[in-house]
Amino acid sequence: GSARRRNQRIGVFDSEHHRVLHRQIEIEQGLKDAIENRQLAVYLQPKYKCADRSIAGYEALVRWHHPKEGFVSPGEFVPIAEKSSLGLELDRYVLSQVFALISTARATIPGFPPVAINITPAHFSQADFHKWVLASIAEAQIPIESVELEITEGAVMERSEEAHHNLDALRTQGVRIAIDDFGTGYSSLNYLRYLGIDDLKIDKTFVDEVSTEKGAVIVKSIIDIAVAHNIQVIAEGVETVEQFELLREMGCHLCQGYLLSRPLPVEEAIELFSQQSSGQTR
Ligand code: C2E
Ligand code: MG
Ligand code: MG
Ligand code: MG
């Protein structure tokens, strides 16, 4: 009867709820262990100049191979990590890996371009975040301009005085700042120019629509306003030649996406750059 059906439904709900919770706890614990045992890998995805398709920089993207679960996507574990102090630990781990790789790469390839690191929004509310970043850069003995931080609009918009202070201090010292996933939040370009950011990354959802009439208008106006304010524009998630050509014609500076390159293991990514700088073709 209906009572039985109701019970079944509750049962299904409970077990689904239980499964999600269980997965979340497992990811949290697993990630904690992975950070402790240094089992996370950093991959690099190149950013290409639209004008000549040369590599102008990289973005570091963390990769986690769970011993039991296999590959776990950052899209799943980063939001879980960000609910606790695990997000801060993840950032510290990735930052130290990236500073070390910049140092190694620059030792053999002098013109090695900047590497961007995604920063957990909560990090910008920590009063001493900028001090820690600057001290780590000094310790790694790498040029300040070789480091870029990618932050979402929310990280600076919703947040406090601390966030603005961190941003100011880092910018003043020459750390590059990029606004990530631009267009998905609610900040206006007008506001962003006061932050003195270097780069603006147009979110993939807009890039996906760039070949439609409406989409083109939106992307073109983002590019125009950014250019007027001296901000470099990067398109994220470029997957087709058509998108790439349209973006280039609109004056977009850099493109990143599977069309050009997937995120690569560090050695491969560095190799790609040294081939380019020695004039060899792929
Ligand atoms: P994001 O910073 O916006 O990074 C772009 C995401 O799009 C990456 O996913 C990248 O692999 C993917 N992508 C790049 N090109 C294409 C394309 O052409 N098509 C498609 N479909 N996807 C493309 P990923 O590596 O899974 O990372 C997802 C998000 O997780 C990142 O978004 C970022 O917010 C976060 N994340 C990744 N690594 C780190 C990290 O080391 N620290 C922190 N705090 N967050 C990270
Ligand atoms: Mg990013
Ligand atoms: Mg993004
Ligand atoms: Mg994103």
Side-chain angles (χ1 to χ4, degrees), residues 167-233:
L167 202 60
D168 273 352
L170 291 164
R171 279 289 309 126
T172 313
Q173 295 299 311
V175 176
R176 299 181 60 87
I177 303 288
I179 298 293
D180 204 351
D181 304 341
F182 184 77
T184 58
Y186 44 76
S187 54
S188 71
L189 278 166
N190 202 36
Y191 174 80
L192 287 179
R193 80 190 152 115
Y194 292 111
L195 299 176
I197 57 156
D198 301 278
D199 294 340
L200 192 69
K201 302 191 76 176
I202 302 178
D203 193 69
K204 180 175 175 13
T205 53
F206 295 96
V207 172
D208 287 342
E209 299 290 318
V210 74
S211 36
T212 69
E213 210 174 308
K214 267 192 194 161
V217 171
I218 294 170
V219 171
K220 179 75 170 111
S221 48
I222 295 175
I223 294 172
D224 287 348
I225 297 168
V227 166
H229 295 314
N230 240 341
I231 297 170
Q232 177 170 254
V233 187

Side-chain angles (χ1 to χ4, degrees), residues 84-134:
S84 69
S85 61
L86 213 49
L88 307 184
E89 282 175 50
L90 176 67
D91 279 7
R92 277 183 232 126
Y93 178 93
V94 175
L95 271 165
S96 72
Q97 299 270 93
V98 169
F99 291 175
L101 84 83
I102 292 174
S103 168
T104 307
R106 291 187 67 91
T108 48
I109 313 163
F112 194 73
V115 181
I117 302 147
N118 292 286
I119 300 294
T120 299
H123 236 145
F124 268 81
S125 325
Q126 305 261 304
D128 57 355
F129 175 62
H130 65 281
K131 287 186 194 155
W132 178 76
V133 172
L134 293 168

Side-chain angles (χ1 to χ4, degrees), residues 45 59 62-63 91 94 118 180-181 204 236 239 257-258:
Q45 187 178 32
E59 175 178 9
V62 70
R63 294 290 176 260
D91 279 7
V94 175
N118 292 286
D180 204 351
D181 304 341
K204 180 175 175 13
E236 290 193 285
E239 292 180 344
Y258 294 169

Side-chain angles (χ1 to χ4, degrees), residues 3-281:
R4 182 153 165 250
R5 202 175 300 142
R6 193 159 57 236
N7 281 341
Q8 270 177 350
R9 206 157 54 216
I10 290 167
V12 167
F13 173 77
D14 278 352
S15 74
E16 170 65 12
H17 185 64
H18 182 263
R19 196 190 58 77
V20 170
L21 258 179
H22 181 76
R23 169 99 179 155
Q24 194 159 319
I25 291 165
E26 204 160 67
I27 284 182
E28 246 187 80
Q29 190 50 54
L31 187 60
K32 221 174 263 177
D33 294 342
I35 292 173
E36 216 161 277
N37 303 319
R38 310 196 67 78
Q39 287 166 340
L40 300 174
V42 168
Y43 273 45
L44 297 177
Q45 187 178 32
K47 301 177 180 182
Y48 289 86
K49 275 189 202 147
C50 297
D52 63 2
R53 285 201 185 209
S54 63
I55 296 173
Y58 293 94
E59 175 178 9
L61 294 159
V62 70
R63 294 290 176 260
W64 179 23
H65 198 269
H66 190 284
K68 274 189 290 178
E69 308 279 328
F71 176 75
V72 186
S73 156
E76 183 177 10
F77 71 78
V78 169
I80 294 174
E82 285 177 345
K83 286 186 188 157
S84 69
S85 61
L86 213 49
L88 307 184
E89 282 175 50
L90 176 67
D91 279 7
R92 277 183 232 126
Y93 178 93
V94 175
L95 271 165
S96 72
Q97 299 270 93
V98 169
F99 291 175
L101 84 83
I102 292 174
S103 168
T104 307
R106 291 187 67 91
T108 48
I109 313 163
F112 194 73
V115 181
I117 302 147
N118 292 286
I119 300 294
T120 299
H123 236 145
F124 268 81
S125 325
Q126 305 261 304
D128 57 355
F129 175 62
H130 65 281
K131 287 186 194 155
W132 178 76
V133 172
L134 293 168
S136 308
I137 291 173
E139 200 183 321
Q141 296 185 302
I142 52 174
I144 287 188
E145 319 75 56
S146 65
V147 176
E148 179 158 56
L149 305 181
E150 290 193 8
I151 57 180
T152 52
E153 298 163 64
V156 278
M157 290 291 295
E158 301 158 11
R159 300 201 186 235
S160 51
E161 242 171 84
E162 280 85 18
H164 285 101
H165 181 61
N166 277 316
L167 202 60
D168 273 352
L170 291 164
R171 279 289 309 126
T172 313
Q173 295 299 311
V175 176
R176 299 181 60 87
I177 303 288
I179 298 293
D180 204 351
D181 304 341
F182 184 77
T184 58
Y186 44 76
S187 54
S188 71
L189 278 166
N190 202 36
Y191 174 80
L192 287 179
R193 80 190 152 115
Y194 292 111
L195 299 176
I197 57 156
D198 301 278
D199 294 340
L200 192 69
K201 302 191 76 176
I202 302 178
D203 193 69
K204 180 175 175 13
T205 53
F206 295 96
V207 172
D208 287 342
E209 299 290 318
V210 74
S211 36
T212 69
E213 210 174 308
K214 267 192 194 161
V217 171
I218 294 170
V219 171
K220 179 75 170 111
S221 48
I222 295 175
I223 294 172
D224 287 348
I225 297 168
V227 166
H229 295 314
N230 240 341
I231 297 170
Q232 177 170 254
V233 187
I234 302 167
E236 290 193 285
V238 178
E239 292 180 344
T240 70
V241 176
E242 188 189 13
Q243 290 167 352
F244 178 79
E245 291 301 335
L246 285 168
L247 288 157
R248 191 171 52 82
E249 283 162 21
M250 289 178 185
C252 182
H253 302 105
L254 308 184
C255 275
Q256 206 182 2
Y258 294 169
L259 172 72
L260 299 148
S261 172
R262 293 199 169 242
L264 303 168
V266 170
E267 299 72 26
E268 272 179 58
I270 295 176
E271 178 57 24
L272 207 56
F273 184 81
S274 45
Q275 278 172 17
Q276 169 189 299
S277 46
S278 67
Q280 282 172 261
T281 48

